[in-house]
Amino acid sequence: MKQKYDLILSNDIDSLYSCILIKQVKGYSINYFYDFRNLYQSKQSQNEYIGVDIDLMEGYCISNHVTRLSEQDKYNPKALNLNNTITNDTYKGKYSGSTALYLHRLLKFPLPTTEQGKMILLAIDAGYKGFYNPDFQDIHKHYLVDVLGFEELYNLCQKYSIDDFINIIIKYNLNGKIWFNNGGLQTNIKLKELQEVLGLPFFMPKIKFTKIKEFECITRPITNEKTKEELDSNIFSLALTRKNYVNYSKLKMEELV
């Protein structure tokens, strides 16, 4: 019998879209929610979890962020991430598309059928941006065409302007958030409209969640640190959000007592 897993949803569209793709192919359900300050769990959870669009320091996860401060720094061996080999020093060579886009290839899930749907996929996590920046055009094409095999998406970037993608983000509020409220989850992302275009079940989980852990969320520059161990202790998740800057969540001291 194959191992089943529960999914950890984070607070944005990339994580939700990715969880939906995994549910469609693998049947795994969202039974945790993580907003980088708190981890919530449902009563239905009974399996080992996978962090979705979350860069966990330990355990299974799938994401798209750089997590290594230098060549000396290690990555989570249970992380599926095109940027596992990238470090702060090689940041400009990173994959800058979404986790959802990566999962379309990994799960062999068909791309959206319409141009609008394909543009939504490229707009998530600003996966279109590299095409319009001369410094990143080659690396953008490398990942989109050579690595993922999505030449049709690259051709779409050639057809539309950067403003067209910005309008897609606004139209569907793709920069909106998901949050915990009174035991459940809410969002201001336009899920109904996304479902109509993409033909996928964009819904908030209809289950109750309870807080099980609290974290301190820290954003800071990288100075002389070469490894995450030099940076801090008790880190639960971490990502370099831009070169020389890191965001991470560490377990609060009272949780360790």
Side-chain angles (χ1 to χ4, degrees):
M1 184 175 178
K2 287 187 177 180
Q3 169 79 43
K4 285 200 71 174
Y5 294 91
D6 290 325
L7 304 179
I8 309 179
L9 169 70
S10 78
N11 62 351
D12 67 11
I13 184 61
D14 195 10
S15 182
L16 179 60
Y17 192 147
S18 297
C19 284
I20 290 168
L21 291 179
I22 295 170
K23 173 72 171 176
Q24 294 295 300
V25 177
K26 297 291 187 181
Y28 305 158
S29 298
I30 296 167
N31 276 310
Y32 292 85
F33 175 65
Y34 178 55
D35 61 9
F36 300 94
R37 295 188 182 278
N38 303 283
L39 179 64
Y40 303 89
Q41 182 181 23
S42 79
K43 288 182 179 178
Q44 286 88 340
S45 64
Q46 53 185 339
N47 305 299
E48 189 175 359
Y49 57 57
I50 299 173
V52 181
D53 194 40
I54 302 163
D55 299 278
L56 298 175
M57 294 299 94
E58 296 179 349
Y60 291 107
C61 61
I62 177 164
S63 193
N64 62 334
H65 305 100
V66 176
T67 62
R68 297 170 66 206
L69 278 61
S70 72
E71 282 296 331
Q72 293 105 286
D73 204 9
K74 296 177 182 178
Y75 63 84
N76 177 358
K78 292 184 176 181
L80 290 173
N81 187 339
L82 287 174
N83 287 321
N84 276 342
T85 59
I86 303 295
T87 71
N88 186 50
D89 299 322
T90 58
Y91 194 84
K92 283 190 175 181
K94 78 184 186 80
Y95 166 66
S96 57
S98 65
T99 300
L101 184 59
Y102 176 37
L103 272 167
H104 267 279
R105 170 54 59 211
L106 207 60
L107 297 173
K108 297 180 173 60
F109 197 91
L111 291 176
T113 55
T114 65
E115 283 197 352
Q116 182 94 165
K118 291 180 176 75
M119 289 178 76
I120 289 169
L121 184 55
L122 280 168
I124 293 172
D125 265 18
Y128 61 91
K129 264 190 174 180
F131 177 83
Y132 303 96
N133 185 332
D135 293 337
F136 292 97
Q137 277 181 345
D138 288 345
I139 196 71
H140 179 265
K141 184 178 182 181
H142 168 67
Y143 281 109
L144 203 53
V145 178
D146 301 333
V147 176
L148 297 177
F150 295 142
E151 188 168 1
E152 61 190 288
L153 297 183
Y154 182 76
N155 294 338
L156 205 63
C157 292
Q158 293 178 308
K159 184 176 180 180
Y160 291 96
S161 71
I162 194 167
D163 286 338
D164 292 324
F165 283 101
I166 291 170
N167 289 335
I168 288 284
I169 292 170
I170 294 168
K171 182 177 180 179
Y172 298 98
N173 199 25
L174 297 180
N175 289 340
K177 293 297 180 184
I178 300 166
W179 62 89
F180 175 83
N181 183 45
N182 195 30
L185 300 181
Q186 292 185 334
T187 187
N188 53 7
I189 302 164
K190 295 185 178 179
L191 301 185
K192 181 182 177 183
E193 291 83 350
L194 286 174
Q195 180 170 311
E196 289 171 356
V197 176
L198 296 169
L200 291 169
F202 278 87
F203 299 108
M204 287 290 93
K206 301 291 192 292
I207 53 178
K208 292 293 184 181
F209 293 87
T210 303
K211 186 196 299 186
I212 57 170
K213 288 182 180 178
E214 289 188 19
F215 304 90
E216 182 182 359
C217 195
I218 297 166
T219 301
R220 54 162 287 189
I222 299 167
T223 51
N224 298 317
E225 299 89 358
K226 297 295 183 184
T227 67
K228 289 178 278 291
E229 287 76 18
E230 293 175 21
L231 191 71
D232 213 330
S233 58
N234 303 306
I235 298 173
F236 183 72
S237 70
L238 175 147
L240 277 70
T241 48
R242 61 185 193 272
K243 186 173 174 61
N244 297 324
Y245 262 82
V246 65
N247 280 18
Y248 63 92
S249 297
K250 62 176 292 185
L251 206 58
K252 282 191 173 181
M253 290 306 296
E254 53 265 34
E255 295 281 332
L256 299 172
V257 177

